Amino acid sequence: MRLAIDGGIPVRSEAWGSSYICTEEINEKEKEYVLRVLDKKRLFRWAPECLTDSETSKLENLYCERLGVTHALAVNSGTSALLATLIAAGIGPGDEVIIPAFTFIATASAVVLAGAVPVIVDIDETLTISPKSILNALTKYTKAIIPVHMKGVPSQMDEIMKIAKDNKLIVIEDNAQANGGMYKGKQLGSIGDAACFSFQQNKLVTSGEGGLIATNNSEIFSRACIYHDVGLLFRDVSKNTVNFPSFPAENYRMSELNAAIGLAQSERIDNLVGRLRKIKQKIIAGIQDVSLIELQRVPDVEGDSSCYVIFYLPSPQITMRFSMALKKEGIPNNVLRSRGFSDRHIYTNWDFILNKRAIYEASNPWSNGWYKGDVEYSLEMCQKTLQLLSRAIAIPLHQNLTTRDCDDAIEAIHKVSNNLLNL
Ligand SMILES: *Cc1c(COP(=O)(O)O)cnc(C)c1O
């Protein structure tokens, strides 16, 4: 059959779901919780009457229960969560923090803002940080690792936690993209020393803007509490922060309105991810037989938050053409590299890191005199990452895709593969 890109009839012509997973779910619950806040006339969580009746506290309690952790702190973004956690964990000048070459720029930026030096290492076929690359990057200055559960897929946490234990390193999970995911029966965000979530609109659940820190470590929690509330907590949520001296800090507090939306959204995350998983499993089962494509390796298939189907093709050229042809068949998809803009998820576009530039010289972690290591960056340094991304195609999934939609995707992938020689 002739491909749509060559003038043939496309597999489908209807639209393919909405682009935002989280906001599609907004319903009476969000309205009820938001109106509840307006009725109470309390948008500030620390209003005295609010302490026992706060949406922000409810959101934190929900994550404590979901993850089985002792502490959760809601903040105003995922980036804030990362910076507050790094600072709370005592990571700063002189320290190296290992991060993957494929993650949102916020992960790298937070490390520099904390005063530490990011060490950027390759990902592997899972599209998450490669444990082998972590081992190769260890130095006497390494203080922490930030595994990022990219595109819904869990990082290889057994291997990472072993490296951390053997080398006495702190592990901070960046779980902005895999809320609701699991790894070998454990909730993502409950495995490292601390974890950061984002509730921005591109994520699985949203609060408008927002983030959350989860940890079992009461020192990290207490210091994060201090940092998120301008150095001296208005109310001592942790009941423990008195044991820690105050220090200059930012205001990262979440508003009750954001918390209300985040709460309504987060209450249904298992249902949401459950629906996504069924859809992904159906499509994956239907394309197993396509010999041309190599599926993304997923460290725990059952734990996958399942917001994307991702596969690799034999070469970057074939990948670009495959992507275009699949789009013309009516199945939206992206290549992961060369998207036509400076994608901030790829280290080659982290200009300020490649050029070792900070806000001002005294805060420059590479050159202010504290750092004794010799990290270097270049556009070419993570070849494996660039090669993998240049051969990868991602199909964004949506919880409302029907069986018919899945069948169309399967059919279109077969059709394009079968005609690849003609591309
Ligand atoms: C979105 C994202 C962040 C930052 O979250 P914001 O809420 O947008 O600040 C951090 N890390 C990763 C991997 C992300 O995808």
Side-chain angles (χ1 to χ4, degrees):
M1 260 204 287
R2 202 136 69 103
L3 291 174
I5 201 169
D6 296 327
I9 299 162
V11 170
R12 67 181 280 136
S13 40
E14 299 101 283
W16 170 268
S18 129
S19 59
Y20 291 110
I21 287 173
C22 57
T23 43
E24 188 73 11
E25 294 294 301
I26 289 177
N27 67 23
E28 294 310 313
K29 264 277 182 281
E30 277 82 351
K31 291 181 194 164
E32 179 194 329
Y33 291 2
V34 166
L35 288 176
R36 186 162 80 187
V37 172
L38 296 178
D39 285 339
K40 287 189 281 189
K41 301 192 176 180
R42 292 181 226 136
L43 306 184
F44 177 44
R45 87 175 287 190
W46 302 146
E49 326 81 80
C50 218
L51 287 178
T52 51
D53 181 27
S54 147
E55 308 301 324
T56 314
S57 307
K58 284 183 191 144
L59 180 68
E60 292 166 348
N61 291 338
L62 182 122
Y63 277 86
C64 281
E65 269 167 42
R66 277 192 53 75
L67 305 176
V69 299
T70 46
H71 306 293
L73 178 70
V75 292
N76 60 0
S77 78
T79 307
S80 312
L82 283 164
L83 181 51
T85 303
L86 285 160
I87 286 172
I91 296 159
D95 298 331
E96 290 180 347
V97 178
I98 299 179
I99 63 169
F102 181 50
T103 175
F104 185 51
I105 192 169
T107 317
S109 196
V111 173
V112 179
L113 287 172
V117 166
V119 174
I120 302 169
V121 305
D122 265 319
I123 54 168
D124 60 21
E125 286 72 10
T126 64
L127 292 176
T128 64
I129 196 164
S130 150
K132 222 194 279 158
S133 304
I134 296 176
L135 278 175
N136 290 334
L138 294 175
T139 72
K140 60 181 173 198
Y141 308 108
T142 312
K143 181 85 174 262
I145 310 168
I146 307 185
V148 184
H149 309 307
M150 279 299 275
K151 300 217 166 268
V153 167
S155 305
Q156 296 154 81
M157 293 308 293
D158 279 351
E159 291 83 348
I160 294 166
M161 294 310 290
K162 177 163 189 330
I163 296 171
K165 188 158 178 267
D166 292 348
N167 297 279
K168 299 198 171 49
L169 304 176
I170 297 164
V171 174
I172 299 171
E173 292 173 72
D174 181 338
N175 197 26
Q177 298 198 9
N179 200 345
M182 317 252 295
Y183 177 77
K184 301 192 180 173
K186 291 184 196 139
Q187 291 285 336
L188 295 182
S190 71
I191 306 169
D193 296 279
C196 298
F197 291 75
S198 165
F199 301 125
Q200 188 263 339
Q201 184 165 348
N202 274 303
K203 320 297 179 180
L204 282 136
V205 294
T206 189
S207 64
E209 298 283 355
L212 182 127
I213 300 161
T215 182
N216 283 313
N217 182 313
S218 59
E219 177 171 351
I220 292 179
F221 178 64
S222 298
R223 284 172 48 88
C225 286
I226 292 171
Y227 194 71
H228 106 298
D229 199 7
V230 210
L232 201 56
L233 279 171
F234 193 79
R235 298 265 184 238
D236 188 359
V237 261
S238 83
K239 315 253 184 305
N240 189 28
T241 50
V242 281
N243 296 325
F244 297 91
S246 67
F247 50 89
E250 311 246 1
N251 172 2
Y252 289 165
R253 292 189 306 260
M254 181 180 270
S255 111
E256 287 282 283
L257 278 173
N258 291 109
I261 297 170
L263 180 64
Q265 290 254 311
S266 298
E267 281 175 351
R268 61 169 90 88
I269 189 157
D270 289 330
N271 173 284
L272 174 70
V273 170
R275 286 150 70 199
L276 286 165
R277 280 192 185 127
K278 285 208 185 88
I279 289 162
K280 179 157 178 179
Q281 279 159 14
K282 182 161 172 50
I283 297 176
I284 293 288
I287 59 175
Q288 289 282 357
D289 61 326
V290 183
S291 58
L292 184 78
I293 66 180
E294 176 196 342
L295 292 167
Q296 175 189 14
R297 184 154 64 79
V298 178
D300 178 0
V301 172
E302 282 165 34
D304 189 345
S305 291
S306 303
C307 31
Y308 291 88
V309 166
I310 299 179
F311 50 83
Y312 303 104
L313 286 149
S315 76
Q317 293 75 14
I318 295 175
T319 306
M320 294 303 280
R321 288 185 288 164
F322 194 107
S323 168
M324 196 70 89
L326 194 57
K327 238 172 240 173
K328 293 282 185 200
E329 296 300 334
I331 309 299
N333 69 88
N334 302 309
V335 293
L336 290 186
R337 205 179 160 200
S338 310
R339 294 179 64 183
F341 60 92
S342 296
D343 183 350
R344 294 187 294 170
H345 296 85
I346 308 176
Y347 76 94
T348 49
N349 294 316
W350 303 344
D351 179 65
F352 64 89
I353 305 252
L354 296 178
N355 291 295
K356 298 187 176 174
R357 201 162 54 234
I359 301 171
Y360 47 85
E361 256 326 284
S363 76
N364 185 314
W366 297 280
S367 62
N368 64 3
W370 283 81
Y371 177 55
K372 306 296 179 207
D374 56 4
V375 73
E376 289 299 338
Y377 310 104
S378 73
L379 284 172
E380 303 80 30
M381 67 185 176
C382 292
Q383 276 308 312
K384 169 122 196 207
T385 300
L386 297 179
Q387 281 159 12
L388 284 166
L389 294 178
S390 68
R391 294 196 296 109
I393 286 182
I395 303 176
L397 299 184
H398 191 270
Q399 64 274 24
N400 295 331
L401 294 178
T402 62
T403 304
R404 164 86 204 289
D405 297 330
C406 296
D407 289 340
D408 284 346
I410 294 165
E411 187 185 333
I413 291 168
H414 278 97
K415 186 179 170 190
V416 175
S417 306
N418 291 338
N419 286 279
L420 199 76
L421 287 181
N422 309 331
L423 277 177

